Amino acid sequence: MTNLVRHRLFWPTVVLVVLLVSNLIFSDNFFRITLQDGHLYGSLIDILRRSAPLVLVALGMTLVISTGGIDLSVGSVMAISGALACLLIGDLSNPDAVGPVLLVIGAAIALCLVFGLWNGFLVAVLGIQPIIATLILMVAGRGVAQLITDGQILNVHSAPYRVIGAGYFLGVPVSFLIAAVAVGLTVALTRRTALGLLLESVGGSPTASRLAGIRARRITIMVYVFAAAFAGVAGLIYSSDVSSADSNAAGNLIELNAILAVVLGGTALTGGRFSIAGSVLGAVIITTLDITAVSVGVPVETTLLFKAVVVIILCLAQSATFRAKVFGRFGSGSRSGSPRAEVAA
Amino acid sequence: MAEQLKMTGIKKVFPGVVALDDVDFRLLPGEIHALMGENGAGKSTLIKVLTGVYDIDGGDIELAGQKVRFTGPLQAQQAGISTVYQEVNLCPNLSVAENIFIGREPRKFGRIQWSEMRKRAQVSLARLDLDIDVSAQLDSYSLAIQQMVAIARATDVGTTKVLILDEPTSSLDASEVEQLFTIMRRLRDEGVAILFVSHFLDQVYEIADRMTVLRNGRLIGEYRTAELPQMQLVSKMIGKELEALEQIEEHAREATVTERGTPIVDARELGRTGAIAPFDLTIHAGEVVGLAGLLGSGRTELARLLFGADRPDHGALLIDGKPHTVKAPREAMAEGIAFSSENRRTEGIIGELTVRENMILAMQAARGWTRPIPRRKQDELVDRYVKALQIRPADPERLVRDLSGGNQQKVLLARWLITEPRLLIIDEPTRGIDVGAKAEIQRLVAQLADGGMAVLFVSAELEEVLRLSHKIEVLRDRRLVEELENGDDVDADRIMQTIAGGATT
Amino acid sequence: MTVVTTPPTPQRNRSLLGGRRVYRPNTKHIPVLATLALLIVMYSIGVYNYDSFGDTQVFLNIFVDNAFLLVVAVGMTFVILTGGIDLSVGAVIALTTTVAATLLTAGWPAGVVLPLVLLIGTVLGLGMGAVIHFFKVEPFIATLAGMFLARGLALLINRNSIPITNDFWTQMAQKRFRFDDGVFISLNVVIAAVVVLIAALVLAWTRFGRNVYAIGGNADSALLMGLPVGRTRIAVYTLSGFCASLGGVLYSFYTSSGYSLHGQGLELDAIAAVVIGGVLLTGGSGYVLGTVLGVLVLGLIQTIITFQGDLNSWWTRIVVGILLFAFIVLQRLVTRKAK
C-alpha cells in the first residue's frame, strides 16, 4: 500500500479520478460513450481529443525540462506552424488532394525544426539561460505568425487537412491517435535508446556528465528541436480543428500549461529524472479541468485559480526547504547553506 | 596573555559525519595563527562555526572572555570576527568603495554619502598601501587587489578583534603574497588576532607565530612555529593509518615492471598556467604511479590535464608515442583513459540516478545515445562489479545518493572499470570512506595493475601511495618536484621531506 | 576613471598595480548607451521620413500611452536587478482594474478603493516574495502561480469589461497638464515620472537600493557580507506588486474601464523594456533610466509603425524580438569580456 502511495504517479492519478468522478455529479452520462455515424462520442472521448495539443507540447517540454532547461516559445511555434500550413494550403490549386497537403504539413514542421535549432543554438552554443533564450522567440514568434497570415484569421477548406484535428479513424479521433503515436515515439526514443539516461544525467549534474564523456551540447540542441517539432504538430492539430489559423489564439498560454503539466507529472523543474507518463497525465488533468469547468457551468477561466493553487502546493511539496521547515526532516543542523552540505576542510 | 578567542570542546555533526569532535582552539591577540590540516580535517567547518555560518552541536566559544553564540555571519561580524574567504566573497558588479562599505555606508538622512564613502575607502586602502580608483567596478581589478579590498572591508569595521584569512594566497603571485604578509604583520602589530589558512608550508613558516593541526575532525595539537620542524608538521597533518591496512602485502613493490616499451602517456613539459607548472611524466602499462603532495599542491590539476578535463596551455602530451591534443574528456576516453574525480558528489556520481545507471554511464556515453547497451548486458556488467567490488546494498536499482561514501566511490570506480581503460586515473578514492572499504579499494588497484592496467593514483595518504605505487611523483606548490622509484630506500619520511620543502630534521 | 595614481611606496607596489588594471570603458554603461543610440537613430528616422513626426506632442504621446507600462517596468527593474523575474504583473493589472471598477460601480468611494487596490497588489507581491525566499521556490514558478491567482480572481469577479464612471476616476483620467504651445501630458505621465524619480533615487542613494545590486551581483557574497538578503528580496517583489497595481490604476484611468483580460502579455513587454534598457537579466547591473529608454523604444516602434501606415502591428513583436536578441547577445558579450 505504501509503495502505491509513494509512486510518483499516485497523486496525479488521484486528482484525475476525483475530477472525472466529480463530473458525474453534474452530468449523469459523463462516462457514457456512444457510437454515432461510426464515430465514438462522449465526454471522455472529448477529453482525449482536446488533450492532444497539450500532450504534444508537454512531451517536448518534458525533455527540455529534464536537461534543466525550459522552452517558453512553444505557443509561438504552434501559431507559426498553423499559420504556414493554412497559408500554403490556401495557395494550393486543389486543397482536397492528399499529396500536396502532406507536403504542406512537412514544410510547416520543417520550419519548426529550424526554430528549435535556433533555441538550441542560443542555449547550448551561446550559453544563454534557457528562459531568456526562448523568451526571444516567444515574443517575436507571434509576430512572425501574424506576418505569415498578414494579420488575418486564415480560413482553410481542405478535407485532408481537416482530418488531423477533427477527423476520426476507426471511430477514434485522429488528433488523439497522433498524440498517442507521439507519446509512443518519445517513449521509444528515450527509453529504447540511451537518450533518456543521458538526458537525466545532463539534467542531474552537468559537470559529472561532462567528466563521464557525455556530449551535453548536442543533446541539449536536440531536445529543443524535439520541443519545437512537437509544438509544430500541436499547432497543426489546433488549426485543423478550427479550420483556420488564428495567430493570437493558437497556443495562447500553452507554454505555462505545458510546464504545469510536466510539474504535475512529477518531473522537477531543476532537471534530471523525468516521467513521460506523468506529463501526459498532467496534460490530461489540465484539459479535464477546463472541460469540467464548462460542464459545471463556471467560467473556464476560473480554472486558473485552481491551477494557481495546484502550482503552489506542488512547488511547496517539491521544495526541500519547505519540507524541512514543516516536517523538520533534517533537524537543526546548519542554519544557512544546504542541509546536506558536504563536509570539506 | 588572555585569549582573544577561546573555543573548547567544539563538536559539529552532519548527517553521517562527525566533522568536529571535541576540538579546542584559541587565538591570542597580536598573533598570526595557522590552522593546518588536510582535506576533511575540519578546517572549513571550524571556520564556519567561528563565523556563525554553522551552529555547533557542543562546546563553548568565548570571545574576549565573553561567552558567545552566533546565529549568523552578521552577528559574528558585529562581535568583531571578520573573514576573508578564498573565493573573494565580494560583489564584482559594485565599486571598490561600495564593496568596503556596503551595509554600513555613511549616511545622512538615509541618503548614502558617496563622496564621504569614497574618501573613507581611499583612506582604508591607503592603510594597506593601496592607491587605486575606488569608484571603479571591483571586477576591473586583479584578484590580488580584490583580495586586498576584502581585507580592507574586513578590517575597516574598526572593532575587528579576529581576522580570518581562509587561503588568501592561493591565487596570488610571490610579490603579491609578500604585500599581503606586510599587511598581516601590520594588523598583528595593531593587536588583531589573525587566523591564517594556507596550503603553502613555506608561507605558513614565514608568517605564522603558532599553529594548530587538525586531522579527521580531531585536534592533533597546538605548536609554536619555531618549535615544530616542517617534517613533523607534515607527519602530524597526514598521520599514519596502518591498522586495518596491513593486510595488503607489499604487493605492488615486488611486481616490478620489467618490460617498459612505449609509455601509454608521455607528458612533456605539459602545464597550465595557474594550475600546475610544466611537468614531465610517463606512465607505462601495468604501472601504478602515485601522486603525493598536500592539498593544493597541484596533484588534482595534474590529473585533470591528462584527462582533458582542463586544457593545457603548455607542452605536449604523447599517447602511445603519438602527439595528441586531448581537448575534452571524451577524447581521452577514446584513448582508453579514465578519470574518477575527487569531488565524488559534484563531479562523480549523479545522485538521482540508480547504481546501475551510474555504472554504465561512461560506457554509454562513449557508445552514443543511439546504441544503448542491451539491458541484459547492463545487468550482467553491473552484477559482476557489484559483486567484485562488494557494493552494499547489492541492489542495482537503488539511487546512488542513498549509498554510503565508500560505496559511492566503488560505483564510480565500476563506472570506469566497465569501460576497460588502459589508464585509470583515480583522485583520492579513499577519502572520507571507512577503513574496510579503503582496504578493498587499495587491493583492487593492485589487482588492476597486475592485470596490465596503468593506474595514476592520487592520494593524500602517504602510506597508501607507498604501498601501491611503483613510482611516486611528489608535488609541492603546484610543481612536480621529485620522481622516486619506489624501493626499499623510499619511505614516508623521505617523501615528507620533499613535501616539506627539503627541510631536514 | 582608469588612471592609477602613483602608489606611496612605488617599489613594492609596482608588481601589484602596474599594468594589472585592464583598460576598458565602463561596461555597465555600454547597454544603456546602446539603447540611447538606438533611440536617437529611430527617432531621427521617424522625423526624416514622416511629416509631423517631430511634433513635441507625438513624442509626449509615447509617454501618455505607455505611462502604466513604465510604472510596471520600474518594479520589474528592481526584481530583475536581483536576478529574479515577475510574471504576475500583467495579471495584477487585470485584477486591480477589475476590483476597482467593480467596487466603484457598487458605489464605494474612490478614497477607499484606490488604497485598497494598491494594497491588494502589494500583498500579493509580498506573498510571492515570501514564498521565494522562505521556501526557495524559483521566482519563475512562484510568480507564475501569482499570475494564475490574480488572473483567476479577476475572472471570478467579472468576466466582462466594466466601464468606470466614478467622478474622481473620470477627473483623473481627463486631467491634462498643458504647456505653452498646446502640448500636454496626462496625470498618468506625472505619476509615472514621480515613480521613476523615486526609484532612481532609491537605487542610487539608499542602502536598500545598493543591497538590490549586491544581491544581483552575488547573492552568496551578499549574505556573507552580512547584508539582509532575505528582507531585500521579499521587499523587491512587494515593490513590484505595488508598481503593478499602481500601473493597473493608471491603466484604469487610461481606459476608464476594468477588465479581467486587461494587461495580457504585459509582463513580456515589461521584461522586454527592462532588457532593452540594458538591465542585465542575470541581475546586478542596470539603471531605471535604462528602463525608461527601453519603454520609449517600445513606444517609438509602435509610433513609427502607426505613422508608416502600411506596416502592420505585428512588426512590433518581430522588431521587439530582434532587439531582445541583440541586447541579450550584447549582454552576453559584455559579461563574458568582464570575466
Side-chain angles (χ1 to χ4, degrees):
Chain A
M1 188 60 199
T2 48
N3 275 343
L4 186 68
V5 174
R6 275 212 199 122
H7 195 278
R8 59 175 158 183
L9 294 185
F10 177 77
W11 288 110
T13 313
V14 168
V15 172
L16 182 60
V17 169
V18 168
L19 268 178
L20 290 174
V21 170
S22 62
N23 268 293
L24 271 183
I25 304 169
F26 299 96
S27 72
D28 294 334
N29 47 11
F30 187 78
F31 284 104
R32 187 182 303 160
I33 296 175
T34 56
L35 198 65
Q36 290 176 15
D37 310 332
H39 300 166
L40 292 174
Y41 275 105
S43 302
L44 290 183
I45 299 298
D46 207 34
I47 289 174
L48 290 184
R49 196 173 68 83
R50 299 248 307 263
S51 320
L54 185 57
V55 166
L56 281 164
V57 174
L59 279 179
M61 191 67 82
T62 310
L63 299 189
V64 171
I65 287 180
S66 78
T67 63
I70 204 154
D71 188 351
L72 297 183
S73 70
V74 283
S76 295
V77 172
M78 268 182 77
I80 293 173
S81 103
L84 185 67
C86 289
L87 179 76
L88 292 179
I89 287 174
D91 288 348
L92 289 179
S93 52
N94 177 12
D96 287 330
V98 176
V101 170
L102 283 179
L103 272 181
V104 164
I105 290 171
I109 294 176
L111 182 65
C112 295
L113 294 181
V114 174
F115 283 117
L117 269 178
W118 162 261
N119 279 337
F121 170 78
L122 292 185
V123 173
V125 180
L126 292 191
I128 300 171
Q129 287 165 268
I131 180 172
I132 298 168
T134 55
L135 179 72
I136 296 170
L137 189 55
M138 182 188 187
V139 172
R142 281 196 191 278
V144 172
Q146 283 171 316
L147 181 68
I148 292 173
T149 62
D150 206 24
Q152 311 290 318
I153 294 180
L154 280 187
N155 292 310
V156 289
H157 303 286
S158 161
Y161 189 62
R162 176 112 178 106
V163 168
I164 306 173
Y168 287 83
F169 179 73
L170 298 177
V172 184
V174 172
S175 58
F176 165 73
L177 290 176
I178 293 176
V181 168
V183 171
L185 210 68
T186 314
V187 170
L189 196 68
T190 51
R191 300 303 180 196
R192 289 276 147 188
T193 72
L195 185 63
L197 173 65
L198 299 190
L199 283 176
E200 289 175 341
S201 171
V202 169
S205 169
T207 324
S209 298
R210 188 178 99 89
L211 286 180
I214 295 171
R215 284 197 184 95
R217 183 175 285 185
R218 198 182 281 193
I219 287 179
T220 308
I221 293 178
M222 211 155 75
V223 293
Y224 284 95
V225 173
F226 274 128
F230 284 145
V233 177
L236 293 179
I237 291 178
Y238 179 85
S239 92
S240 156
D241 191 21
V242 295
S243 284
S244 66
D246 181 346
S247 305
N248 280 319
N252 187 29
L253 285 185
I254 202 163
E255 59 280 341
L256 301 183
N257 279 324
I259 294 168
L260 184 58
V262 173
V263 176
L264 267 173
T267 303
L269 273 175
T270 45
R273 280 280 187 219
F274 64 89
S275 163
I276 291 170
S279 298
V280 172
L281 204 53
V284 175
I285 289 176
I286 291 171
T287 314
T288 311
L289 189 63
D290 288 343
I291 291 177
T292 308
V294 176
S295 75
V296 173
V298 298
V300 170
E301 295 84 351
T302 45
T303 56
L304 283 173
L305 271 185
F306 177 84
K307 287 178 193 170
V309 173
V310 170
V311 173
I312 293 167
I313 292 173
L314 274 175
C315 285
L316 291 187
Q318 280 185 8
S319 148
T321 328
F322 178 78
R323 284 203 302 259
K325 276 186 183 154
V326 175
F327 305 111
R329 228 3 118 86
F330 301 110
S332 59
S334 60
R335 205 173 295 111
S336 62
S338 75
R340 278 167 176 254
E342 182 153 11
V343 193
Chain B
M1 201 186 305
E3 288 97 351
Q4 184 71 274
L5 172 87
K6 190 172 167 190
M7 301 169 88
T8 38
I10 299 295
K11 184 165 180 154
K12 174 73 202 165
V13 184
F14 291 106
V17 197
V18 181
L20 289 176
D21 188 8
D22 194 23
V23 170
D24 295 344
F25 180 74
R26 60 191 189 123
L27 275 178
L28 305 180
E31 74 159 345
I32 296 173
H33 192 116
L35 184 61
M36 307 297 294
E38 276 287 278
N39 260 335
K43 286 178 311 201
S44 281
T45 314
L46 187 72
I47 288 175
K48 285 188 172 148
V49 162
L50 191 50
T51 53
V53 176
Y54 293 152
D55 199 358
I56 46 175
D57 299 317
D60 290 313
I61 305 177
E62 272 178 41
L63 192 64
Q66 298 263 305
K67 216 171 149 181
V68 288
R69 186 142 190 186
F70 306 125
T71 50
L74 192 58
Q75 282 76 13
Q77 270 170 39
Q78 280 163 352
I81 297 180
S82 299
T83 316
V84 175
Y85 293 93
Q86 174 184 15
E87 316 266 314
V88 178
N89 270 292
L90 297 175
C91 292
N93 58 327
L94 301 183
S95 73
V96 170
E98 272 201 280
N99 267 297
I100 299 177
F101 285 102
I102 193 161
R104 48 194 159 85
E105 301 97 334
R107 288 186 300 178
K108 206 179 239 171
F109 310 116
R111 178 177 161 279
I112 295 172
Q113 296 179 288
W114 285 95
S115 58
E116 168 75 16
M117 190 163 104
R118 280 193 289 271
K119 219 178 291 165
R120 284 209 223 159
Q122 207 84 50
V123 171
S124 126
L125 285 174
R127 285 205 314 150
L128 311 182
D129 286 346
L130 205 58
D131 186 6
I132 56 174
D133 177 7
V134 294
S135 58
Q137 209 167 299
L138 182 77
D139 64 3
S140 63
Y141 288 103
S142 69
L143 265 180
I145 290 186
Q146 295 187 23
Q147 194 96 56
M148 296 294 178
V149 173
I151 293 175
R153 175 180 176 85
T155 55
D156 194 83
V157 189
T159 55
T160 301
K161 298 182 186 112
V162 174
L163 175 63
I164 300 170
L165 300 172
D166 187 3
E167 288 190 49
T169 57
S170 49
S171 49
L172 306 189
D173 68 27
S175 62
E176 290 164 347
V177 170
E178 220 23 71
Q179 165 92 9
L180 175 68
F181 284 179
T182 312
I183 290 157
M184 283 170 66
R185 290 194 186 99
R186 187 178 309 161
L187 290 169
R188 170 184 65 188
D189 297 341
E190 287 170 13
V192 179
I194 298 176
L195 172 57
F196 177 63
V197 179
S198 171
H199 295 308
F200 300 100
L201 295 187
D202 295 346
Q203 292 177 5
V204 171
Y205 273 87
E206 184 186 340
I207 190 83
D209 301 308
R210 289 184 314 130
M211 51 179 77
T212 294
V213 180
L214 300 180
R215 193 173 71 226
N216 290 335
R218 291 206 181 79
L219 175 71
I220 299 302
E222 185 199 274
Y223 314 91
R224 287 194 166 280
T225 311
E227 293 163 7
L228 184 72
Q230 288 205 20
M231 262 300 291
Q232 277 186 33
L233 170 63
V234 172
S235 83
K236 285 185 196 305
M237 285 167 65
I238 293 175
K240 293 180 184 181
E241 245 187 274
L242 293 171
E243 320 87 41
L245 303 178
E246 290 295 352
Q247 42 184 311
I248 301 185
E249 307 135 43
E250 307 262 306
H251 190 91
R253 276 198 224 183
E254 290 162 15
T256 43
V257 184
T258 45
E259 283 173 64
R260 295 231 117 175
T262 316
I264 295 179
V265 293
D266 183 358
R268 292 185 183 166
E269 287 287 301
L270 198 67
R272 179 178 160 93
T273 315
I276 176 93
F279 62 90
D280 292 324
L281 176 68
T282 57
I283 307 173
H284 291 83
E287 188 176 38
V288 179
V289 178
L291 286 192
L294 295 176
L295 182 69
S297 62
R299 55 188 196 207
T300 297
E301 289 78 358
L302 190 156
R304 287 177 64 96
L305 277 194
L306 295 182
F307 186 60
D310 297 321
R311 279 193 205 192
D313 57 9
H314 194 277
L317 182 65
L318 277 65
I319 296 176
D320 297 325
K322 289 189 261 323
H324 209 284
T325 48
V326 179
K327 291 196 295 285
R330 47 180 305 116
E331 291 176 27
M333 284 165 63
E335 297 297 329
I337 301 176
F339 170 70
S340 145
S341 166
E342 63 172 339
N343 298 318
R344 198 163 47 226
R345 289 201 196 154
T346 55
E347 297 183 350
I349 58 153
I350 292 166
E352 58 189 302
L353 298 188
T354 64
V355 169
R356 174 178 56 83
E357 289 168 326
N358 268 284
M359 276 191 181
I360 62 156
L361 195 58
M363 187 185 196
Q364 186 62 66
R367 288 167 68 114
W369 66 271
T370 47
R371 294 172 54 225
I373 305 167
R375 182 59 190 255
R376 190 181 301 167
K377 176 135 185 248
Q378 289 186 24
D379 289 337
E380 190 187 302
L381 283 169
V382 170
D383 198 46
R384 189 194 316 156
Y385 281 97
V386 165
K387 283 206 184 90
L389 303 185
Q390 299 179 28
I391 291 170
R392 295 282 176 276
D395 175 8
E397 300 307 316
R398 265 300 174 94
L399 295 190
V400 147
R401 64 161 168 245
D402 297 336
L403 269 58
S404 71
N407 282 301
Q408 287 179 354
Q409 186 63 53
K410 289 182 191 168
V411 169
L412 205 49
L413 274 177
R415 175 193 291 174
W416 290 112
L417 294 180
I418 284 176
T419 66
E420 297 178 350
R422 295 189 297 149
L423 167 62
L424 176 64
I425 305 171
I426 31 182
D427 194 355
E428 292 232 47
T430 59
R431 178 166 109 213
I433 66 180
D434 61 79
V435 175
K438 209 178 246 185
E440 284 171 32
I441 285 173
Q442 292 180 7
R443 202 176 299 127
L444 178 74
V445 168
Q447 277 168 11
L448 291 171
D450 284 350
M453 195 183 290
V455 180
L456 182 66
F457 187 81
V458 185
S459 174
E461 288 177 35
L462 290 185
E463 294 299 330
E464 191 171 87
V465 172
L466 273 167
R467 193 172 303 122
L468 292 169
S469 314
H470 300 105
K471 192 164 81 179
I472 298 169
E473 312 288 329
V474 188
L475 291 107
R476 188 180 69 227
D477 298 355
R478 302 189 182 281
R479 197 173 285 281
L480 203 167
V481 288
E482 195 174 23
E483 178 175 293
L484 300 164
E485 289 294 333
N486 197 358
D488 291 337
D489 56 328
V490 177
D491 57 13
D493 284 351
R494 172 79 181 77
I495 298 175
M496 277 191 224
Q497 251 175 39
T498 313
I499 291 177
T504 45
T505 40
Chain C
M1 283 298 286
T2 51
V3 179
V4 177
T5 46
T6 322
T9 49
Q11 286 304 322
R12 191 187 294 139
N13 282 338
R14 186 146 294 155
S15 74
L16 198 59
L17 302 172
R20 272 300 177 102
R21 175 91 153 88
V22 203
Y23 173 79
R24 61 168 190 270
N26 195 334
T27 52
K28 279 195 293 191
H29 298 148
I30 293 176
V32 181
L33 292 176
T35 313
L36 188 62
L38 176 76
L39 199 62
I40 292 170
V41 169
M42 280 171 57
Y43 192 71
S44 309
I45 290 175
V47 173
Y48 182 79
N49 280 320
Y50 313 111
D51 293 340
S52 73
F53 193 92
D55 290 0
T56 319
Q57 191 57 48
V58 171
F59 187 70
L60 290 182
N61 277 343
I62 297 178
F63 285 100
V64 173
D65 295 336
N66 292 291
F68 65 95
L69 177 62
L70 188 52
V71 172
V72 174
V74 165
M76 188 70 82
T77 306
F78 278 80
V79 173
I80 291 184
L81 275 176
T82 62
I85 201 153
D86 187 351
L87 296 180
S88 71
V89 289
V92 170
I93 284 194
L95 181 62
T96 312
T97 61
T98 310
V99 171
T102 309
L103 293 183
L104 290 172
T105 309
W108 288 43
V112 177
V113 173
L114 189 63
L116 185 69
V117 292
L118 291 180
L119 189 68
I120 291 175
T122 312
V123 169
L124 191 71
L126 177 73
M128 291 186 299
V131 168
I132 290 165
H133 170 64
F134 288 113
F135 302 134
K136 309 270 177 288
V137 174
E138 279 184 74
F140 180 84
I141 294 299
T143 58
L144 176 64
M147 170 188 179
F148 283 154
L149 193 69
R151 184 77 68 185
L153 279 175
L155 284 160
L156 200 63
I157 294 169
N158 199 327
R159 298 184 67 189
N160 302 314
S161 179
I162 316 159
I164 297 177
T165 50
N166 177 281
D167 283 346
F168 175 76
W169 239 258
T170 321
Q171 265 177 31
M172 291 299 111
Q174 288 167 353
K175 182 100 182 139
R176 293 284 181 277
F177 296 85
R178 294 182 187 279
F179 301 98
D180 294 344
D181 32 356
V183 299
F184 66 89
I185 51 173
S186 62
L187 175 71
N188 280 1
V189 178
V190 178
I191 295 175
V194 171
V195 169
V196 166
L197 198 68
I198 293 174
L201 289 178
V202 165
L203 277 180
W205 296 96
T206 67
R207 279 194 183 166
F208 168 70
R210 303 321 293 174
N211 289 346
V212 167
Y213 280 97
I215 291 172
N218 187 336
D220 295 333
S221 289
L223 198 67
L224 286 171
M225 287 162 99
L227 303 180
V229 173
R231 211 169 65 208
T232 308
R233 198 167 262 156
I234 294 174
V236 159
Y237 287 94
T238 312
L239 190 73
S240 178
F242 172 79
C243 283
S245 52
L246 182 60
V249 170
L250 298 195
Y251 200 72
S252 65
F253 289 162
Y254 182 64
T255 59
S256 287
S257 70
Y259 187 23
S260 46
L261 295 181
H262 272 332
Q264 272 196 327
L266 192 93
E267 56 280 350
L268 290 187
D269 288 339
I271 294 169
V274 171
V275 172
I276 292 174
V279 180
L280 213 58
L281 260 171
T282 44
S285 175
Y287 304 93
V288 172
L289 178 67
T291 301
V292 176
L293 295 179
V295 171
L296 283 180
V297 167
L298 293 188
L300 204 52
I301 294 172
Q302 277 161 358
T303 310
I304 289 179
I305 283 168
T306 315
F307 268 78
Q308 178 67 26
D310 58 348
L311 273 182
N312 293 304
S313 61
W314 51 87
W315 279 104
T316 316
R317 286 177 164 280
I318 297 176
V319 173
V320 170
I322 293 170
L323 288 180
L324 260 182
F325 171 69
F327 277 86
I328 286 168
V329 171
L330 178 74
Q331 289 184 356
R332 185 84 197 139
L333 293 177
V334 168
T335 44
R336 199 174 267 181
K337 218 169 69 182
K339 285 280 150 65

